């Protein structure tokens, strides 16, 4: 069985400061892991994905995430927040074969000027 | 390449009415799924399919039916709508290890 826990429902940062959105996963198989972003009243956009290659994954808009098997974590980071990063972020897991994709509950990121 | 197409974008139903949300993909993906999105709960899996003729229940299947007669189409049926089914619905398709591709969503209100 697979599950995803996003450890913070809301995160607030100041513009120009680092962003850390935390995600822990559980999977019976070698997982594929993803981060998606959703801006208000918009659809879902893929930020980055991990599929058993490099453990440090770089995505769009300066985001990156590190897969840590020992900690079952896949935290999303960005060195410097921008106002346009304000959105909801979802950590997502798929099992071996890539099917049955499960979402975390989401973390809403607020960016203060 | 249209990707994943969902229709309609908006719908208002009365309690007890039935309707079908349409989803079509043109990427020849085996895996398709339906999610509902509610505030603070992320996207919850309703039903999914790993190929034509094969469907299975997700986390919140009650009140919804699906079928998969072709690779391209995966409709979601509400047989008797209830206010608790007011939500935003997303269809997704996926090919093996790739990421899921999502439709633009259907905002459904049941009054």
């Amino acid at each position: 069985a697979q599950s995803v826990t996003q450890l913070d429902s809301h995160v607030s940062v100041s513009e120009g400061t680092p962003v850390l959105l935390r995600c822990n996963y559980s999977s019976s198989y070698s997982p594929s892991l993803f981060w998606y972003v959703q801006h208000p009243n918009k659809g879902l956009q893929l930020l980055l994905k991990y599929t058993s290659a490099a453990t440090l994954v770089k995505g769009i808009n300066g985001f990156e995430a590190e897969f840590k098997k020992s900690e079952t974590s896949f935290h999303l980071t960005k060195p410097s927040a921008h106002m346009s990063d304000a959105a909801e972020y979802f950590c997502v897991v798929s099992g071996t074969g890539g099917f049955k994709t499960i979402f975390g509950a989401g973390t809403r990121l607020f960016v203060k000027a | 390449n249209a990707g994943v197409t969902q229709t309609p974008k908006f719908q208002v139903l009365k309690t007890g009415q039935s309707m079908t949300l349409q989803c079509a993909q043109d990427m020849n993906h085996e895996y398709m799924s339906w999610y509902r999105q509610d505030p603070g709960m992320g996207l919850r899996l309703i039903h999914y399919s790993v190929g034509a003729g094969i469907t299975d229940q997700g986390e919140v299947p009650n009140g919804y039916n699906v079928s998969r007669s072709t690779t391209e189409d995966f409709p979601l049926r509400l047989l008797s709508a209830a206010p608790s089914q007011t939500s935003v619905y997303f269809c997704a398709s996926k090919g093996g290890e790739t990421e899921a591709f999502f439709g633009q969503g259907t905002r459904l209100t049941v009054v």
Side-chain angles (χ1 to χ4, degrees):
Chain A
Q2 302 143 237
S3 66
V4 177
T5 302
Q6 291 184 243
L7 299 171
D8 306 291
S9 59
H10 298 86
V11 170
S12 183
V13 301
S14 297
E15 192 174 24
T17 64
V19 175
L20 170 64
L21 306 183
R22 299 182 294 164
C23 172
N24 286 349
Y25 71 91
S26 172
S27 178
S28 303
Y29 307 98
S30 297
S32 297
L33 293 158
F34 309 84
W35 277 97
Y36 284 82
V37 61
Q38 185 181 37
H39 288 89
N41 297 313
K42 298 290 187 183
L44 292 145
Q45 180 183 20
L46 179 71
L47 274 180
L48 51 80
K49 62 183 177 182
Y50 166 78
T51 55
S52 75
T55 56
L56 182 63
V57 181
K58 294 188 184 299
I60 61 172
N61 300 335
F63 284 95
E64 62 181 39
E66 186 171 8
F67 173 71
K68 292 187 176 180
K69 186 175 181 179
S70 60
E71 299 177 10
T72 61
S73 68
F74 190 58
H75 300 335
L76 181 71
T77 60
K78 183 173 180 178
S80 177
H82 190 273
M83 296 296 290
S84 60
D85 295 327
E88 188 148 26
Y89 292 79
F90 295 98
C91 183
V92 178
V93 64
S94 293
T96 298
F99 301 132
K100 200 167 184 184
T101 300
I102 301 296
F103 277 70
T107 297
R108 184 164 294 279
L109 176 65
F110 297 93
V111 182
K112 298 174 288 187
Chain B
N1 189 344
V4 179
T5 303
Q6 274 183 250
T7 55
K9 287 187 170 54
F10 301 94
Q11 183 71 49
V12 178
L13 288 179
K14 293 182 179 178
T15 297
Q17 284 185 317
S18 63
M19 81 159 296
T20 299
L21 307 185
Q22 301 291 346
C23 177
Q25 54 97 2
D26 60 1
M27 296 173 281
N28 202 34
H29 285 165
E30 296 174 26
Y31 181 76
M32 296 185 73
S33 53
W34 277 102
Y35 296 85
R36 60 177 289 172
Q37 183 177 24
D38 302 291
M41 305 188 79
L43 275 74
R44 292 181 292 169
L45 184 64
I46 303 172
H47 285 286
Y48 65 99
S49 168
V50 298
I54 307 170
T55 64
D56 205 349
Q57 297 181 350
E59 304 165 87
V60 289
N62 293 339
Y64 307 95
N65 279 353
V66 292
S67 60
R68 183 98 178 268
S69 57
T70 67
T71 299
E72 294 78 20
D73 300 301
F74 191 45
L76 178 73
R77 297 183 187 85
L78 285 70
L79 298 179
S80 179
S84 60
Q85 293 178 305
T86 294
S87 188
V88 180
Y89 292 84
F90 286 97
C91 177
S93 77
K94 198 172 189 295
E97 299 284 343
T98 69
E99 67 271 24
F101 293 82
F102 289 86
Q104 286 302 299
T106 297
R107 188 173 295 274
L108 175 67
T109 302
V110 182
V111 297

